[in-house]
Coordinates of all heavy atoms in Angstrom, one line a residue:
M214 N -10.6 5.7 -16.6 CA -9.6 5.8 -15.5 C -8.5 6.7 -16.0 O -8.0 6.4 -17.1 CB -9.2 4.4 -15.0 CG -8.2 4.5 -13.8 SD -7.8 2.9 -13.0 CE -8.2 1.7 -14.1
T215 N -8.1 7.6 -15.2 CA -7.0 8.5 -15.6 C -5.7 7.7 -15.5 O -5.6 6.7 -14.8 CB -6.9 9.7 -14.7 OG1 -6.7 9.3 -13.4 CG2 -8.1 10.6 -14.8
R216 N -4.7 8.1 -16.3 CA -3.4 7.4 -16.3 C -2.7 7.4 -15.0 O -2.1 6.4 -14.6 CB -2.5 8.0 -17.4 CG -1.2 7.2 -17.4 CD -0.4 7.5 -18.6 NE 0.8 6.7 -18.6 CZ 1.8 6.7 -19.5 NH1 1.7 7.5 -20.5 NH2 2.8 6.0 -19.3
Y217 N -2.7 8.5 -14.3 CA -2.1 8.6 -12.9 C -3.1 8.9 -11.9 O -3.8 9.9 -11.9 CB -1.0 9.7 -13.0 CG 0.1 9.4 -14.0 CD1 0.1 10.1 -15.2 CD2 1.1 8.5 -13.7 CE1 1.1 9.8 -16.1 CE2 2.1 8.3 -14.6 CZ 2.1 8.9 -15.8 OH 3.1 8.6 -16.7
M218 N -3.1 8.0 -10.9 CA -4.1 8.2 -9.8 C -3.3 8.5 -8.5 O -2.4 7.8 -8.2 CB -4.9 6.9 -9.6 CG -6.0 6.9 -8.5 SD -6.8 5.4 -8.4 CE -5.9 4.7 -7.0
P219 N -3.7 9.5 -7.8 CA -3.0 9.8 -6.5 C -3.3 8.8 -5.5 O -4.4 8.2 -5.4 CB -3.5 11.2 -6.1 CG -4.7 11.4 -6.9 CD -4.7 10.5 -8.1
I220 N -2.3 8.4 -4.6 CA -2.6 7.5 -3.5 C -3.5 8.3 -2.5 O -3.5 9.5 -2.4 CB -1.3 7.0 -2.9 CG1 -0.5 8.1 -2.3 CG2 -0.5 6.2 -3.8 CD1 0.7 7.7 -1.5
T221 N -4.3 7.5 -1.8 CA -5.3 8.2 -0.9 C -4.7 8.9 0.3 O -5.4 9.7 0.9 CB -6.4 7.2 -0.5 OG1 -5.7 6.1 0.2 CG2 -7.2 6.6 -1.6
G222 N -3.5 8.5 0.7 CA -2.9 9.1 1.8 C -2.4 10.5 1.6 O -2.1 11.2 2.6
V223 N -2.4 11.0 0.4 CA -2.0 12.3 0.1 C -3.1 13.2 -0.2 O -3.9 13.0 -1.1 CB -1.0 12.3 -1.2 CG1 -0.6 13.7 -1.5 CG2 0.2 11.4 -0.9
D224 N -3.3 14.2 0.6 CA -4.5 15.1 0.5 C -4.0 16.5 0.2 O -4.2 17.4 0.9 CB -5.2 15.1 1.9 CG -6.6 15.7 1.7 OD1 -7.1 15.8 0.6 OD2 -7.1 16.2 2.7
C225 N -3.3 16.6 -0.9 CA -2.9 18.0 -1.4 C -2.9 18.0 -2.9 O -3.0 17.0 -3.6 CB -1.5 18.3 -0.9 SG -0.2 17.2 -1.5
T226 N -3.0 19.2 -3.4 CA -3.1 19.5 -4.8 C -2.0 20.4 -5.3 O -1.8 21.4 -4.7 CB -4.5 20.1 -5.2 OG1 -5.5 19.2 -4.7 CG2 -4.7 20.2 -6.7
P227 N -1.3 20.0 -6.3 CA -1.4 18.7 -7.0 C -0.7 17.6 -6.2 O 0.2 17.8 -5.5 CB -0.6 19.0 -8.3 CG 0.4 20.1 -7.9 CD -0.2 20.9 -6.8
A228 N -1.2 16.4 -6.4 CA -0.6 15.2 -5.8 C 0.7 14.9 -6.4 O 0.9 15.1 -7.6 CB -1.6 14.0 -5.9
T229 N 1.6 14.4 -5.6 CA 3.0 14.1 -6.2 C 3.3 12.6 -6.1 O 4.2 12.1 -6.7 CB 4.1 14.9 -5.4 OG1 4.0 14.6 -4.0 CG2 3.9 16.3 -5.6
L230 N 2.5 11.9 -5.3 CA 2.7 10.4 -5.2 C 1.5 9.8 -5.9 O 0.4 9.9 -5.5 CB 2.7 10.0 -3.7 CG 3.9 10.4 -2.9 CD1 3.7 10.0 -1.5 CD2 5.2 9.8 -3.5
L231 N 1.9 9.2 -7.1 CA 0.9 8.7 -8.0 C 1.1 7.2 -8.4 O 2.2 6.7 -8.3 CB 0.9 9.5 -9.3 CG 0.8 11.0 -9.1 CD1 1.2 11.8 -10.4 CD2 -0.6 11.4 -8.7
I232 N 0.0 6.6 -8.7 CA 0.0 5.2 -9.2 C -0.2 5.3 -10.8 O -1.2 5.9 -11.2 CB -1.1 4.3 -8.6 CG1 -0.9 4.3 -7.1 CG2 -1.1 2.9 -9.2 CD1 -2.1 3.7 -6.4
E233 N 0.6 4.7 -11.5 CA 0.4 4.7 -13.0 C -0.5 3.6 -13.3 O -0.2 2.4 -13.2 CB 1.7 4.5 -13.8 CG 1.5 4.6 -15.2 CD 2.8 4.4 -16.1 OE1 3.9 4.4 -15.5 OE2 2.6 4.4 -17.3
T234 N -1.8 3.9 -13.6 CA -2.8 2.9 -13.8 C -2.6 2.1 -15.0 O -3.2 1.0 -15.1 CB -4.2 3.6 -13.8 OG1 -4.3 4.5 -14.9 CG2 -4.5 4.4 -12.5
E235 N -1.8 2.5 -15.9 CA -1.6 1.8 -17.2 C -0.4 0.9 -17.1 O 0.0 0.3 -18.1 CB -1.5 2.7 -18.4 CG -2.8 3.5 -18.6 CD -2.7 4.5 -19.7 OE1 -1.7 4.6 -20.4 OE2 -3.7 5.3 -19.8
A236 N 0.3 0.8 -16.0 CA 1.5 -0.1 -15.8 C 1.0 -1.5 -16.0 O -0.2 -1.8 -15.7 CB 2.1 0.1 -14.4
P237 N 1.9 -2.4 -16.4 CA 1.5 -3.8 -16.5 C 1.0 -4.4 -15.2 O 1.4 -4.0 -14.1 CB 2.8 -4.5 -16.9 CG 3.7 -3.4 -17.5 CD 3.3 -2.1 -16.7
L238 N -0.1 -5.2 -15.3 CA -0.7 -5.7 -14.1 C 0.3 -6.5 -13.2 O 0.2 -6.4 -12.0 CB -1.8 -6.7 -14.5 CG -3.1 -6.1 -15.1 CD1 -4.1 -7.1 -15.6 CD2 -3.7 -5.1 -14.1
D239 N 1.3 -7.2 -13.7 CA 2.2 -7.9 -12.9 C 3.1 -6.9 -12.1 O 3.4 -7.1 -10.9 CB 3.1 -8.8 -13.7 CG 4.0 -8.2 -14.7 OD1 3.5 -7.2 -15.3 OD2 5.1 -8.6 -14.9
V240 N 3.4 -5.8 -12.7 CA 4.1 -4.7 -12.0 C 3.3 -4.1 -10.9 O 3.8 -3.9 -9.7 CB 4.7 -3.6 -12.9 CG1 5.3 -2.5 -12.2 CG2 5.6 -4.2 -14.0
L241 N 2.1 -3.8 -11.1 CA 1.1 -3.3 -10.1 C 1.0 -4.3 -9.0 O 1.0 -3.9 -7.8 CB -0.2 -3.0 -10.7 CG -0.3 -1.8 -11.7 CD1 -1.6 -1.7 -12.4 CD2 0.0 -0.5 -10.9
F242 N 0.8 -5.6 -9.3 CA 0.7 -6.6 -8.3 C 1.9 -6.7 -7.4 O 1.8 -6.8 -6.2 CB 0.4 -8.0 -8.9 CG 0.2 -9.0 -7.9 CD1 -1.0 -9.1 -7.1 CD2 1.3 -9.9 -7.6 CE1 -1.1 -10.1 -6.2 CE2 1.1 -10.9 -6.6 CZ 0.0 -11.0 -5.9
E243 N 3.1 -6.7 -8.0 CA 4.3 -6.7 -7.2 C 4.5 -5.5 -6.3 O 4.9 -5.6 -5.2 CB 5.5 -6.8 -8.2 CG 5.7 -8.1 -8.9 CD 5.9 -9.3 -7.9 OE1 6.6 -9.1 -6.9 OE2 5.4 -10.4 -8.2
T244 N 4.1 -4.4 -6.8 CA 4.1 -3.2 -6.0 C 3.2 -3.3 -4.7 O 3.6 -3.0 -3.6 CB 3.7 -1.9 -6.8 OG1 4.6 -1.8 -7.9 CG2 3.8 -0.7 -6.0
A245 N 2.0 -3.7 -5.0 CA 1.0 -3.9 -3.9 C 1.5 -5.0 -2.9 O 1.5 -4.8 -1.7 CB -0.4 -4.3 -4.4
D246 N 2.0 -6.1 -3.5 CA 2.4 -7.2 -2.7 C 3.6 -6.8 -1.8 O 3.6 -7.1 -0.6 CB 2.9 -8.4 -3.6 CG 3.4 -9.5 -2.8 OD1 2.6 -10.1 -2.1 OD2 4.5 -9.9 -3.0
Y247 N 4.5 -6.0 -2.3 CA 5.7 -5.6 -1.5 C 5.2 -4.7 -0.3 O 5.7 -4.9 0.8 CB 6.6 -4.8 -2.4 CG 7.8 -4.2 -1.7 CD1 8.9 -5.0 -1.3 CD2 7.9 -2.9 -1.4 CE1 10.0 -4.5 -0.7 CE2 9.0 -2.3 -0.7 CZ 10.0 -3.2 -0.3 OH 11.1 -2.7 0.3
R248 N 4.3 -3.8 -0.6 CA 3.9 -2.9 0.5 C 3.1 -3.6 1.6 O 3.4 -3.5 2.8 CB 3.1 -1.7 0.0 CG 4.0 -0.7 -0.7 CD 3.3 0.3 -1.5 NE 4.1 1.5 -1.9 CZ 5.2 1.4 -2.6 NH1 5.5 0.3 -3.2 NH2 5.8 2.5 -3.0
I249 N 2.2 -4.5 1.2 CA 1.4 -5.2 2.2 C 2.3 -6.3 2.9 O 2.1 -6.4 4.1 CB 0.2 -5.9 1.4 CG1 -0.7 -4.8 0.9 CG2 -0.5 -6.9 2.3 CD1 -1.8 -5.3 0.0
R250 N 3.2 -6.9 2.2 CA 4.0 -7.9 2.9 C 5.0 -7.2 3.9 O 5.2 -7.8 4.9 CB 4.9 -8.7 1.8 CG 5.4 -9.9 2.3 CD 6.1 -10.7 1.1 NE 5.1 -11.1 0.2 CZ 4.3 -12.2 0.3 NH1 4.4 -12.9 1.3 NH2 3.5 -12.5 -0.7
T251 N 5.4 -6.0 3.6 CA 6.3 -5.3 4.5 C 5.5 -5.0 5.8 O 6.0 -5.2 6.9 CB 6.7 -3.9 3.9 OG1 7.5 -4.2 2.7 CG2 7.5 -3.1 4.8
V252 N 4.3 -4.6 5.7 CA 3.5 -4.3 6.9 C 3.2 -5.6 7.7 O 3.4 -5.6 8.9 CB 2.1 -3.7 6.5 CG1 1.2 -3.6 7.7 CG2 2.3 -2.3 5.8
T253 N 2.9 -6.7 7.0 CA 2.7 -7.9 7.6 C 3.9 -8.4 8.4 O 3.8 -8.8 9.6 CB 2.3 -9.0 6.6 OG1 1.1 -8.6 5.8 CG2 2.0 -10.3 7.2
Q254 N 5.1 -8.3 7.8 CA 6.3 -8.8 8.4 C 6.6 -7.9 9.7 O 7.0 -8.4 10.7 CB 7.5 -8.7 7.5 CG 7.4 -9.8 6.4 CD 8.5 -9.6 5.4 OE1 9.2 -8.7 5.3 NE2 8.5 -10.6 4.5
L255 N 6.4 -6.6 9.6 CA 6.7 -5.8 10.8 C 5.7 -6.0 11.9 O 6.0 -6.1 13.1 CB 6.7 -4.3 10.4 CG 7.9 -3.9 9.5 CD1 7.7 -2.5 9.0 CD2 9.1 -3.9 10.4
L256 N 4.4 -6.2 11.5 CA 3.4 -6.5 12.6 C 3.7 -7.9 13.2 O 3.5 -8.0 14.4 CB 2.0 -6.5 12.0 CG 1.5 -5.1 11.7 CD1 0.2 -5.1 10.9 CD2 1.3 -4.2 12.9
E257 N 4.1 -8.8 12.4 CA 4.4 -10.1 13.0 C 5.6 -10.0 13.9 O 5.6 -10.6 15.0 CB 4.7 -11.2 11.9 CG 3.5 -11.6 11.2 CD 3.8 -12.5 10.0 OE1 5.0 -12.7 9.6 OE2 2.8 -13.1 9.5
N258 N 6.6 -9.2 13.6 CA 7.8 -9.0 14.4 C 7.3 -8.4 15.8 O 7.8 -8.9 16.8 CB 8.7 -8.1 13.7 CG 10.1 -8.0 14.3 OD1 10.3 -8.5 15.4 ND2 11.0 -7.4 13.7
I259 N 6.4 -7.4 15.7 CA 6.0 -6.8 17.0 C 5.2 -7.9 17.8 O 5.4 -8.0 19.0 CB 5.1 -5.6 16.7 CG1 5.9 -4.5 16.1 CG2 4.4 -5.1 18.0 CD1 5.1 -3.3 15.6
A260 N 4.3 -8.6 17.1 CA 3.4 -9.6 17.8 C 4.2 -10.7 18.5 O 3.8 -11.1 19.6 CB 2.4 -10.2 16.8
F261 N 5.3 -11.1 18.0 CA 6.0 -12.2 18.5 C 7.2 -11.8 19.5 O 7.9 -12.6 20.0 CB 6.6 -13.1 17.4 CG 5.5 -13.8 16.6 CD1 5.4 -13.6 15.3 CD2 4.6 -14.6 17.3 CE1 4.4 -14.2 14.5 CE2 3.6 -15.2 16.5 CZ 3.5 -15.0 15.2
R262 N 7.2 -10.5 19.8 CA 8.2 -10.0 20.8 C 7.5 -9.5 22.0 O 7.7 -8.4 22.5 CB 9.0 -8.8 20.1 CG 9.9 -9.3 19.0 CD 10.7 -8.2 18.5 NE 11.6 -8.7 17.4 CZ 12.9 -8.6 17.4 NH1 13.5 -7.9 18.4 NH2 13.6 -9.1 16.5
S263 N 6.7 -10.4 22.6 CA 6.0 -10.0 23.8 C 6.9 -9.7 25.0 O 6.4 -9.0 25.9 CB 5.0 -11.0 24.1 OG 5.6 -12.3 24.4
D264 N 8.1 -10.1 25.0 CA 9.0 -9.9 26.1 C 9.6 -8.5 26.1 O 10.1 -8.0 27.1 CB 10.1 -10.9 26.0 CG 10.9 -10.9 24.7 OD1 10.3 -10.6 23.7 OD2 12.1 -11.2 24.8
I265 N 9.4 -7.7 25.0 CA 9.9 -6.4 24.9 C 8.7 -5.4 25.2 O 7.7 -5.4 24.5 CB 10.5 -6.1 23.5 CG1 11.6 -7.0 23.2 CG2 10.9 -4.6 23.4 CD1 12.2 -6.8 21.8
S266 N 8.9 -4.6 26.2 CA 7.8 -3.6 26.5 C 8.0 -2.4 25.6 O 9.1 -2.0 25.2 CB 7.9 -3.2 28.0 OG 9.1 -2.5 28.2
S267 N 6.8 -1.9 25.2 CA 6.9 -0.7 24.3 C 5.9 0.3 24.8 O 4.9 0.1 25.4 CB 6.4 -1.2 22.9 OG 7.3 -2.1 22.4
D268 N 6.4 1.5 24.7 CA 5.6 2.7 25.0 C 4.3 2.8 24.1 O 4.4 2.6 22.9 CB 6.4 3.9 24.9 CG 5.8 5.2 25.4 OD1 4.5 5.2 25.4 OD2 6.5 6.1 25.8
T269 N 3.2 3.1 24.7 CA 2.0 3.2 23.9 C 2.1 4.3 22.8 O 1.6 4.0 21.7 CB 0.8 3.6 24.8 OG1 0.7 2.6 25.9 CG2 -0.5 3.6 24.1
V270 N 2.7 5.4 23.1 CA 2.9 6.4 22.1 C 3.7 5.9 20.9 O 3.4 6.1 19.7 CB 3.5 7.7 22.7 CG1 3.9 8.7 21.6 CG2 2.6 8.3 23.7
V271 N 4.8 5.2 21.2 CA 5.7 4.6 20.2 C 4.9 3.6 19.3 O 5.0 3.7 18.1 CB 6.9 3.9 20.8 CG1 7.7 3.2 19.7 CG2 7.8 4.9 21.5
L272 N 4.1 2.7 19.9 CA 3.3 1.8 19.2 C 2.3 2.5 18.3 O 2.0 2.1 17.2 CB 2.6 0.8 20.1 CG 3.5 -0.3 20.7 CD1 2.8 -1.2 21.7 CD2 4.2 -1.1 19.6
S273 N 1.7 3.5 18.9 CA 0.7 4.3 18.1 C 1.3 4.9 16.9 O 0.8 4.9 15.8 CB 0.0 5.4 19.0 OG -0.8 6.2 18.2
D274 N 2.5 5.6 17.0 CA 3.2 6.2 15.9 C 3.6 5.1 14.9 O 3.5 5.4 13.7 CB 4.4 7.0 16.4 CG 4.0 8.2 17.1 OD1 2.8 8.7 17.0 OD2 4.9 8.8 17.9
F275 N 4.0 4.0 15.4 CA 4.5 2.9 14.5 C 3.3 2.4 13.7 O 3.4 2.1 12.5 CB 5.1 1.8 15.4 CG 5.9 0.8 14.6 CD1 7.0 1.2 13.9 CD2 5.5 -0.5 14.5 CE1 7.7 0.3 13.2 CE2 6.2 -1.4 13.8 CZ 7.3 -1.0 13.1
C276 N 2.1 2.3 14.3 CA 0.9 1.8 13.6 C 0.5 2.8 12.5 O 0.1 2.4 11.4 CB -0.2 1.6 14.6 SG 0.0 0.1 15.6
K277 N 0.7 4.1 12.8 CA 0.4 5.1 11.8 C 1.3 5.0 10.6 O 0.9 5.1 9.5 CB 0.5 6.5 12.4 CG -0.6 6.8 13.4 CD -0.5 8.2 14.0 CE -1.5 8.4 15.1 NZ -1.2 9.6 15.9
L278 N 2.5 4.7 10.9 CA 3.5 4.6 9.8 C 3.2 3.3 9.0 O 3.2 3.4 7.7 CB 4.9 4.4 10.5 CG 6.1 4.1 9.5 CD1 6.3 5.3 8.6 CD2 7.3 3.7 10.3
L279 N 2.8 2.2 9.6 CA 2.5 1.0 8.8 C 1.2 1.2 8.0 O 1.1 0.7 6.9 CB 2.3 -0.1 9.8 CG 3.6 -0.7 10.5 CD1 3.2 -1.7 11.5 CD2 4.6 -1.2 9.5
T280 N 0.3 2.0 8.5 CA -0.9 2.3 7.8 C -0.6 2.9 6.4 O -1.4 2.6 5.4 CB -1.8 3.2 8.6 OG1 -2.1 2.6 9.9 CG2 -3.1 3.6 7.9
I281 N 0.4 3.8 6.3 CA 0.7 4.4 5.1 C 1.0 3.4 4.0 O 0.5 3.4 2.9 CB 1.9 5.4 5.2 CG1 1.5 6.6 6.1 CG2 2.4 5.9 3.9 CD1 2.6 7.4 6.6
S282 N 1.9 2.4 4.3 CA 2.3 1.4 3.4 C 1.1 0.5 3.0 O 0.9 0.1 1.9 CB 3.4 0.6 3.9 OG 3.9 -0.3 3.0
L283 N 0.3 0.1 4.1 CA -0.8 -0.7 3.8 C -1.9 0.0 2.9 O -2.4 -0.6 2.0 CB -1.5 -1.1 5.2 CG -2.6 -2.1 5.1 CD1 -2.2 -3.4 4.4 CD2 -3.1 -2.4 6.5
R284 N -2.1 1.2 3.2 CA -3.0 2.0 2.3 C -2.5 2.1 0.9 O -3.3 1.9 -0.1 CB -3.3 3.4 2.9 CG -4.3 4.2 2.1 CD -4.5 5.6 2.7 NE -4.9 5.6 4.1 CZ -4.3 6.2 5.0 NH1 -3.2 6.9 4.8 NH2 -4.8 6.2 6.3
D285 N -1.2 2.3 0.7 CA -0.7 2.3 -0.6 C -0.9 1.0 -1.4 O -1.3 1.0 -2.5 CB 0.8 2.6 -0.6 CG 1.2 4.0 -0.1 OD1 0.3 4.8 0.1 OD2 2.4 4.3 0.0
G286 N -0.6 -0.1 -0.7 CA -0.8 -1.4 -1.3 C -2.3 -1.6 -1.7 O -2.6 -2.2 -2.7
C287 N -3.2 -1.2 -0.8 CA -4.6 -1.4 -1.1 C -5.0 -0.5 -2.3 O -5.9 -0.9 -3.1 CB -5.5 -1.0 0.1 SG -5.3 -2.3 1.4
D288 N -4.5 0.7 -2.4 CA -4.7 1.6 -3.5 C -4.3 0.9 -4.8 O -5.0 1.0 -5.8 CB -4.0 2.9 -3.4 CG -4.7 3.8 -2.3 OD1 -5.8 3.5 -1.9 OD2 -4.0 4.9 -2.0
V289 N -3.1 0.3 -4.8 CA -2.7 -0.3 -6.0 C -3.6 -1.6 -6.4 O -3.9 -1.8 -7.5 CB -1.2 -0.8 -5.9 CG1 -0.7 -1.6 -7.1 CG2 -0.3 0.4 -5.7
L290 N -4.0 -2.3 -5.3 CA -4.9 -3.4 -5.6 C -6.2 -2.9 -6.2 O -6.8 -3.6 -7.0 CB -5.2 -4.2 -4.3 CG -4.1 -5.1 -3.8 CD1 -4.4 -5.7 -2.5 CD2 -3.7 -6.1 -4.8
D291 N -6.7 -1.7 -5.8 CA -7.9 -1.1 -6.3 C -7.7 -0.8 -7.8 O -8.6 -1.1 -8.6 CB -8.2 0.2 -5.6 CG -9.5 0.9 -6.1 OD1 -10.5 0.2 -6.2 OD2 -9.4 2.0 -6.4
V292 N -6.5 -0.3 -8.2 CA -6.3 -0.1 -9.6 C -6.3 -1.4 -10.4 O -6.9 -1.5 -11.5 CB -4.9 0.6 -9.8 CG1 -4.5 0.6 -11.2 CG2 -4.9 2.0 -9.3
I293 N -5.7 -2.4 -9.8 CA -5.7 -3.7 -10.5 C -7.2 -4.2 -10.7 O -7.6 -4.7 -11.8 CB -4.9 -4.8 -9.7 CG1 -3.4 -4.4 -9.7 CG2 -5.2 -6.2 -10.2 CD1 -2.6 -5.3 -8.7
G294 N -8.0 -4.1 -9.6 CA -9.4 -4.5 -9.7 C -10.2 -3.7 -10.8 O -10.9 -4.3 -11.6
R295 N -9.9 -2.4 -10.9 CA -10.6 -1.6 -11.9 C -10.2 -2.0 -13.3 O -11.0 -2.1 -14.2 CB -10.3 -0.1 -11.7 CG -10.9 0.5 -10.4 CD -10.5 1.9 -10.4 NE -10.8 2.5 -9.0 CZ -10.9 3.8 -8.8 NH1 -10.6 4.6 -9.7 NH2 -11.2 4.2 -7.6
R296 N -8.9 -2.3 -13.4 CA -8.4 -2.7 -14.8 C -9.0 -4.1 -15.2 O -9.4 -4.2 -16.3 CB -6.8 -2.8 -14.7 CG -6.1 -1.5 -14.6 CD -5.5 -1.0 -15.9 NE -4.8 -2.0 -16.7 CZ -3.5 -2.2 -16.6 NH1 -2.7 -1.5 -15.8 NH2 -2.9 -3.1 -17.4
L297 N -9.0 -5.0 -14.3 CA -9.6 -6.3 -14.6 C -11.1 -6.2 -14.9 O -11.6 -6.9 -15.8 CB -9.4 -7.3 -13.4 CG -7.9 -7.7 -13.2 CD1 -7.7 -8.5 -12.0 CD2 -7.3 -8.3 -14.4
R298 N -11.8 -5.4 -14.2 CA -13.3 -5.2 -14.4 C -13.4 -4.5 -15.8 O -14.4 -4.9 -16.5 CB -13.9 -4.4 -13.3 CG -14.2 -5.2 -12.1 CD -15.1 -4.4 -11.1 NE -14.5 -3.1 -10.6 CZ -13.6 -3.1 -9.6 NH1 -13.2 -4.2 -8.9 NH2 -13.1 -1.9 -9.2
A299 N -12.6 -3.6 -16.1 CA -12.7 -2.9 -17.4 C -12.4 -3.9 -18.5 O -13.1 -3.9 -19.6 CB -11.8 -1.8 -17.5
Q300 N -11.4 -4.8 -18.4 CA -11.1 -5.8 -19.4 C -12.2 -6.8 -19.5 O -12.5 -7.2 -20.6 CB -9.8 -6.6 -19.0 CG -8.5 -5.7 -19.2 CD -7.3 -6.5 -18.7 OE1 -7.4 -7.6 -18.2 NE2 -6.2 -5.9 -18.9
A301 N -12.9 -7.2 -18.4 CA -14.0 -8.1 -18.5 C -15.2 -7.5 -19.2 O -15.9 -8.3 -19.8 CB -14.4 -8.6 -17.1
A302 N -15.3 -6.2 -19.1 CA -16.5 -5.6 -19.7 C -16.3 -5.4 -21.2 O -17.3 -5.2 -21.9 CB -16.7 -4.2 -19.1
E303 N -15.1 -5.5 -21.7 CA -14.8 -5.3 -23.1 C -15.3 -6.5 -24.0 O -15.4 -7.5 -23.8 CB -13.3 -5.1 -23.4 CG -12.9 -3.8 -22.8 CD -11.3 -3.6 -23.0 OE1 -10.6 -4.6 -23.4 OE2 -10.9 -2.5 -22.8

């Protein structure tokens, strides 16, 4: 695994948003946790505010925005999984 892995949401070369795959596992986990928890909290906020009407376009754009953070968190979890599998294989 290369030391720096681009996040999947960036489709340009050279990539500028990278995950340091050699960072300590606890740091990688905290990074993934923060991004996924942020998405969860915002989605819960929307779900429990049924009394507020929202434009479909606004909700669609908001979902796209949340997808970025969720994808980043999943990318970091993927790095953690690869590292743990590599350690188990040693």
